[in-house]
Amino acid sequence: MPFDPSGLVEVAVQVGREAGDLVQSTRATAVSDFDTKSTLTDVVTAADRASERLVRARLAELRPGEPVVGEEEGGDEVEGLTWVVDPIDGTVNYLYGIPHYAVSIAAQVDGVSVAAAVVEPASGRVWTAWQGGGAWLDGRRLAVSDQTRLDLTLLGYGFAYRADRRKRQAEAWAGLAAVVRDMRRAGAASLDLCAVAAGRLDAYAEHTLGRWDWAGGALLAREAGAVVHLPGEAPELGADATFAAAPGIADALFAALVEHGFSKV
Protein backbone atom coordinates (compact mmCIF):
# COMPACT_ATOMS: atom_id res chain seq x y z
CA MET A 1 0.00 0.00 0.00
CA PRO A 2 1.45 3.42 -0.90
CA PHE A 3 2.07 5.83 1.94
CA ASP A 4 3.27 9.24 2.97
CA PRO A 5 4.70 9.79 6.44
CA SER A 6 2.12 12.38 7.48
CA GLY A 7 -0.66 9.99 6.51
CA LEU A 8 0.92 7.25 8.59
CA VAL A 9 0.95 9.63 11.56
CA GLU A 10 -2.79 10.14 11.19
CA VAL A 11 -3.33 6.38 11.34
CA ALA A 12 -1.02 6.04 14.36
CA VAL A 13 -2.84 8.84 16.20
CA GLN A 14 -6.27 7.40 15.46
CA VAL A 15 -5.38 3.88 16.55
CA GLY A 16 -3.26 5.09 19.49
CA ARG A 17 -6.15 7.13 20.87
CA GLU A 18 -8.50 4.17 20.60
CA ALA A 19 -6.01 1.94 22.42
CA GLY A 20 -5.42 4.66 25.00
CA ASP A 21 -9.14 4.92 25.70
CA LEU A 22 -9.29 1.16 26.21
CA VAL A 23 -6.27 1.17 28.52
CA GLN A 24 -7.65 4.03 30.59
CA SER A 25 -11.22 2.76 30.86
CA THR A 26 -10.27 -0.79 31.84
CA ARG A 27 -7.48 -0.07 34.31
CA ALA A 28 -9.52 -0.83 37.44
CA THR A 29 -10.06 -4.43 36.36
CA ALA A 30 -7.03 -4.97 34.13
CA VAL A 31 -4.46 -4.49 36.90
CA SER A 32 -5.98 -7.35 38.90
CA ASP A 33 -5.06 -9.70 36.06
CA PHE A 34 -1.32 -9.51 35.51
CA ASP A 35 1.58 -11.85 34.94
CA THR A 36 5.38 -11.60 34.78
CA LYS A 37 7.78 -12.14 31.90
CA SER A 38 11.58 -12.06 32.09
CA THR A 39 11.67 -11.49 35.88
CA LEU A 40 9.21 -10.92 38.74
CA THR A 41 9.63 -7.16 38.18
CA ASP A 42 8.78 -7.38 34.46
CA VAL A 43 4.99 -7.28 34.46
CA VAL A 44 2.28 -7.55 31.82
CA THR A 45 -1.40 -6.82 32.47
CA ALA A 46 -4.59 -7.86 30.73
CA ALA A 47 -4.74 -4.32 29.38
CA ASP A 48 -1.34 -4.70 27.66
CA ARG A 49 -2.66 -7.71 25.79
CA ALA A 50 -6.06 -6.18 25.01
CA SER A 51 -4.46 -2.95 23.81
CA GLU A 52 -2.15 -4.79 21.42
CA ARG A 53 -5.02 -6.90 20.07
CA LEU A 54 -7.00 -3.73 19.39
CA VAL A 55 -4.06 -2.04 17.66
CA ARG A 56 -3.42 -5.06 15.48
CA ALA A 57 -7.08 -5.34 14.51
CA ARG A 58 -7.43 -1.66 13.65
CA LEU A 59 -4.19 -1.56 11.65
CA ALA A 60 -5.39 -4.61 9.73
CA GLU A 61 -8.50 -2.62 8.80
CA LEU A 62 -6.80 0.67 8.00
CA ARG A 63 -3.52 -0.66 6.55
CA PRO A 64 -4.29 -4.20 5.41
CA GLY A 65 -1.42 -6.54 4.75
CA GLU A 66 1.23 -4.54 6.61
CA PRO A 67 3.10 -6.52 9.29
CA VAL A 68 3.06 -5.58 12.96
CA VAL A 69 5.75 -6.12 15.60
CA GLY A 70 4.42 -5.79 19.14
CA GLU A 71 5.83 -6.20 22.62
CA GLU A 72 3.31 -8.82 23.70
CA GLU A 73 2.65 -10.86 20.53
CA GLY A 74 5.96 -10.39 18.73
CA GLY A 75 6.18 -10.45 14.96
CA ASP A 76 8.88 -10.33 12.32
CA GLU A 77 10.35 -7.19 10.82
CA VAL A 78 10.32 -7.44 7.04
CA GLU A 79 11.54 -5.31 4.16
CA GLY A 80 9.30 -2.36 3.50
CA LEU A 81 6.83 -0.93 6.00
CA THR A 82 6.35 -2.50 9.44
CA TRP A 83 4.31 -1.17 12.37
CA VAL A 84 6.03 -1.31 15.76
CA VAL A 85 3.73 -1.22 18.78
CA ASP A 86 4.13 -0.85 22.52
CA PRO A 87 0.58 -1.31 23.82
CA ILE A 88 1.46 0.14 27.23
CA ASP A 89 4.91 1.62 27.74
CA GLY A 90 5.34 2.04 31.48
CA THR A 91 3.31 -0.97 32.61
CA VAL A 92 4.67 -0.83 36.16
CA ASN A 93 3.48 2.78 36.42
CA TYR A 94 0.11 1.67 35.05
CA LEU A 95 -0.08 -1.17 37.57
CA TYR A 96 0.61 1.17 40.49
CA GLY A 97 -1.69 3.96 39.35
CA ILE A 98 1.10 6.35 38.38
CA PRO A 99 -0.30 8.29 35.38
CA HIS A 100 2.93 8.21 33.37
CA TYR A 101 2.49 5.61 30.65
CA ALA A 102 1.77 5.63 26.94
CA VAL A 103 0.67 3.77 23.85
CA SER A 104 3.43 4.02 21.24
CA ILE A 105 2.82 3.25 17.57
CA ALA A 106 5.50 3.78 14.93
CA ALA A 107 5.81 2.98 11.25
CA GLN A 108 9.25 1.83 10.15
CA VAL A 109 10.58 1.34 6.66
CA ASP A 110 13.44 -1.16 6.48
CA GLY A 111 13.94 -0.74 10.23
CA VAL A 112 13.98 3.07 10.27
CA SER A 113 11.15 4.98 11.95
CA VAL A 114 9.36 7.31 9.53
CA ALA A 115 6.19 8.17 11.46
CA ALA A 116 5.04 7.86 15.04
CA ALA A 117 2.45 8.73 17.65
CA VAL A 118 2.93 8.41 21.39
CA VAL A 119 -0.40 8.78 23.19
CA GLU A 120 -0.72 9.42 26.94
CA PRO A 121 -4.03 7.89 28.06
CA ALA A 122 -4.15 9.60 31.47
CA SER A 123 -3.68 13.15 30.15
CA GLY A 124 -4.84 12.82 26.55
CA ARG A 125 -1.59 14.35 25.26
CA VAL A 126 -0.47 13.17 21.83
CA TRP A 127 3.14 13.33 20.67
CA THR A 128 3.75 12.95 16.93
CA ALA A 129 6.59 13.01 14.42
CA TRP A 130 7.32 12.04 10.86
CA GLN A 131 10.56 11.89 8.97
CA GLY A 132 11.46 15.37 7.77
CA GLY A 133 8.29 16.84 9.26
CA GLY A 134 9.40 17.72 12.78
CA ALA A 135 8.21 16.65 16.22
CA TRP A 136 4.98 17.89 17.76
CA LEU A 137 2.98 17.85 20.98
CA ASP A 138 -0.73 18.54 20.46
CA GLY A 139 0.06 20.70 17.45
CA ARG A 140 2.98 22.60 19.02
CA ARG A 141 6.34 22.10 17.33
CA LEU A 142 9.08 20.82 19.61
CA ALA A 143 12.78 21.56 19.88
CA VAL A 144 15.45 20.14 22.15
CA SER A 145 17.03 22.24 24.86
CA ASP A 146 19.89 24.64 24.18
CA GLN A 147 21.92 23.31 27.11
CA THR A 148 25.69 23.44 26.59
CA ARG A 149 26.97 22.55 30.08
CA LEU A 150 27.16 18.97 31.28
CA ASP A 151 27.11 20.11 34.91
CA LEU A 152 23.72 21.76 34.28
CA THR A 153 22.26 18.81 32.38
CA LEU A 154 19.05 17.10 33.49
CA LEU A 155 19.48 13.44 32.54
CA GLY A 156 16.76 10.83 32.19
CA TYR A 157 17.70 7.20 32.77
CA GLY A 158 16.32 3.74 33.38
CA PHE A 159 17.06 0.33 34.86
CA ALA A 160 17.02 -3.20 33.48
CA TYR A 161 14.82 -5.89 35.02
CA ARG A 162 17.60 -8.28 36.12
CA ALA A 163 18.94 -7.55 39.59
CA ASP A 164 22.59 -8.21 38.70
CA ARG A 165 22.45 -5.77 35.82
CA ARG A 166 20.63 -3.16 37.90
CA LYS A 167 23.49 -3.26 40.39
CA ARG A 168 26.03 -2.49 37.66
CA GLN A 169 23.78 0.23 36.26
CA ALA A 170 23.44 1.81 39.68
CA GLU A 171 27.21 2.05 39.92
CA ALA A 172 27.39 3.81 36.56
CA TRP A 173 24.53 6.19 37.46
CA ALA A 174 26.23 7.01 40.76
CA GLY A 175 29.24 8.24 38.80
CA LEU A 176 27.07 10.28 36.43
CA ALA A 177 25.19 11.84 39.33
CA ALA A 178 28.35 13.68 40.32
CA VAL A 179 28.79 15.37 36.92
CA VAL A 180 25.24 16.39 35.90
CA ARG A 181 22.73 18.75 37.47
CA ASP A 182 20.26 15.99 38.37
CA MET A 183 18.73 12.75 37.14
CA ARG A 184 15.18 11.51 36.58
CA ARG A 185 13.88 7.93 36.39
CA ALA A 186 10.25 8.15 35.20
CA GLY A 187 9.62 4.59 34.00
CA ALA A 188 8.45 4.97 30.39
CA ALA A 189 11.15 5.10 27.72
CA SER A 190 8.92 6.47 24.97
CA LEU A 191 7.93 9.42 27.15
CA ASP A 192 11.52 10.01 28.28
CA LEU A 193 12.54 10.32 24.64
CA CYS A 194 9.59 12.64 24.02
CA ALA A 195 10.77 14.70 27.01
CA VAL A 196 14.13 15.15 25.30
CA ALA A 197 12.29 16.30 22.18
CA ALA A 198 10.42 18.89 24.24
CA GLY A 199 13.47 20.11 26.15
CA ARG A 200 12.04 18.82 29.43
CA LEU A 201 15.09 16.58 29.69
CA ASP A 202 18.44 17.54 28.24
CA ALA A 203 19.32 13.91 27.59
CA TYR A 204 18.30 10.31 28.15
CA ALA A 205 20.24 7.03 28.21
CA GLU A 206 19.21 3.47 28.94
CA HIS A 207 20.03 -0.16 28.17
CA THR A 208 17.84 -3.17 27.27
CA LEU A 209 15.11 -1.29 25.40
CA GLY A 210 13.10 -3.25 22.85
CA ARG A 211 12.36 -1.82 19.41
CA TRP A 212 8.81 -0.99 20.56
CA ASP A 213 10.23 1.09 23.44
CA TRP A 214 12.23 3.48 21.24
CA ALA A 215 10.63 3.31 17.77
CA GLY A 216 8.27 6.22 18.39
CA GLY A 217 10.07 8.35 20.96
CA ALA A 218 13.46 8.22 19.25
CA LEU A 219 11.93 9.62 16.05
CA LEU A 220 10.46 12.51 18.04
CA ALA A 221 13.80 13.22 19.69
CA ARG A 222 15.67 13.12 16.38
CA GLU A 223 13.11 15.30 14.57
CA ALA A 224 13.35 17.83 17.41
CA GLY A 225 17.11 18.09 16.90
CA ALA A 226 18.57 15.55 19.33
CA VAL A 227 21.66 13.47 18.73
CA VAL A 228 20.32 9.91 18.83
CA HIS A 229 22.12 6.55 19.00
CA LEU A 230 19.94 3.45 18.86
CA PRO A 231 20.89 -0.06 20.05
CA GLY A 232 23.86 -1.35 18.07
CA GLU A 233 24.89 2.09 16.76
CA ALA A 234 27.27 3.13 19.55
CA PRO A 235 29.23 0.11 20.80
CA GLU A 236 31.23 2.38 23.13
CA LEU A 237 28.02 2.66 25.21
CA GLY A 238 27.18 -1.04 25.02
CA ALA A 239 25.48 -3.14 22.37
CA ASP A 240 21.94 -2.44 23.62
CA ALA A 241 22.27 1.23 24.63
CA THR A 242 19.83 3.96 23.60
CA PHE A 243 21.07 7.55 23.79
CA ALA A 244 19.39 10.87 23.00
CA ALA A 245 20.81 14.27 23.89
CA ALA A 246 20.66 17.94 23.01
CA PRO A 247 23.53 18.71 20.62
CA GLY A 248 25.19 21.13 23.02
CA ILE A 249 25.97 18.43 25.59
CA ALA A 250 25.84 15.25 23.50
CA ASP A 251 29.60 14.77 23.09
CA ALA A 252 30.38 15.57 26.73
CA LEU A 253 27.67 13.24 28.02
CA PHE A 254 28.74 10.46 25.67
CA ALA A 255 32.31 10.74 26.99
CA ALA A 256 31.11 10.80 30.60
CA LEU A 257 29.02 7.68 30.09
CA VAL A 258 32.02 5.88 28.61
CA GLU A 259 34.23 7.08 31.48
CA HIS A 260 31.83 5.78 34.09
CA GLY A 261 31.53 2.31 32.60
CA PHE A 262 28.21 2.55 30.81
CA SER A 263 29.31 -0.05 28.28
CA LYS A 264 30.00 -2.61 31.01
CA VAL A 265 26.58 -2.73 32.61
Side-chain angles (χ1 to χ4, degrees):
M1 178 181 291
F3 64 89
D4 71 272
S6 62
L8 295 177
V9 168
E10 292 177 5
V11 172
V13 169
Q14 178 181 344
V15 176
R17 280 179 166 153
E18 292 177 21
D21 289 343
L22 172 68
V23 164
Q24 192 69 1
S25 65
T26 60
R27 185 190 168 274
T29 55
V31 297
S32 64
D33 181 8
F34 71 93
D35 202 351
T36 59
K37 297 187 286 187
S38 63
T39 71
L40 291 176
T41 57
D42 184 7
V43 297
V44 56
T45 70
D48 291 87
R49 298 188 176 101
S51 175
E52 184 164 325
R53 288 194 297 268
L54 183 152
V55 171
R56 287 177 178 272
R58 293 293 286 130
L59 288 176
E61 294 171 1
L62 297 171
R63 305 288 305 184
E66 294 173 348
V68 178
V69 175
E71 180 173 15
E72 307 310 334
E73 297 186 15
D76 297 320
E77 181 187 333
V78 298
E79 291 185 1
L81 192 147
T82 301
W83 293 91
V84 182
V85 177
D86 195 333
I88 303 178
D89 182 31
T91 299
V92 173
N93 286 346
Y94 180 75
L95 182 68
Y96 278 80
I98 299 170
H100 190 74
Y101 50 87
V103 177
S104 176
I105 302 176
Q108 294 191 329
V109 175
D110 298 334
V112 177
S113 296
V114 298
V118 179
V119 177
E120 294 185 61
S123 67
R125 287 189 290 261
V126 179
W127 306 77
T128 56
W130 64 95
Q131 195 174 62
W136 306 80
L137 171 58
D138 292 333
R140 177 175 63 85
R141 188 154 192 165
L142 303 176
V144 296
S145 80
D146 60 1
Q147 187 58 258
T148 59
R149 292 179 53 176
L150 184 61
D151 63 332
L152 297 181
T153 290
L154 184 61
L155 173 64
Y157 72 104
F159 280 107
Y161 289 114
R162 286 192 355 243
D164 59 327
R165 197 167 195 193
R166 285 185 178 210
K167 182 177 183 297
R168 296 194 300 273
Q169 285 176 315
E171 292 168 354
W173 294 133
L176 263 295
V179 298
V180 298
R181 166 177 269 160
D182 209 340
M183 300 170 67
R184 295 289 182 269
R185 197 284 199 254
S190 63
L191 293 177
D192 285 336
L193 288 161
C194 288
V196 174
R200 297 177 180 178
L201 291 173
D202 299 308
Y204 167 75
E206 187 166 356
H207 290 101
T208 72
L209 297 185
R211 181 172 294 270
W212 39 81
D213 294 309
W214 57 255
L219 179 62
L220 267 115
R222 181 168 280 151
E223 285 293 323
V227 175
V228 176
H229 299 297
L230 298 175
E233 294 180 352
E236 302 93 333
L237 299 180
D240 61 352
T242 300
F243 173 97
I249 50 90
D251 288 347
L253 178 61
F254 192 101
L257 287 167
V258 171
E259 178 185 351
H260 290 281
F262 200 62
S263 67
K264 300 175 183 177
V265 305

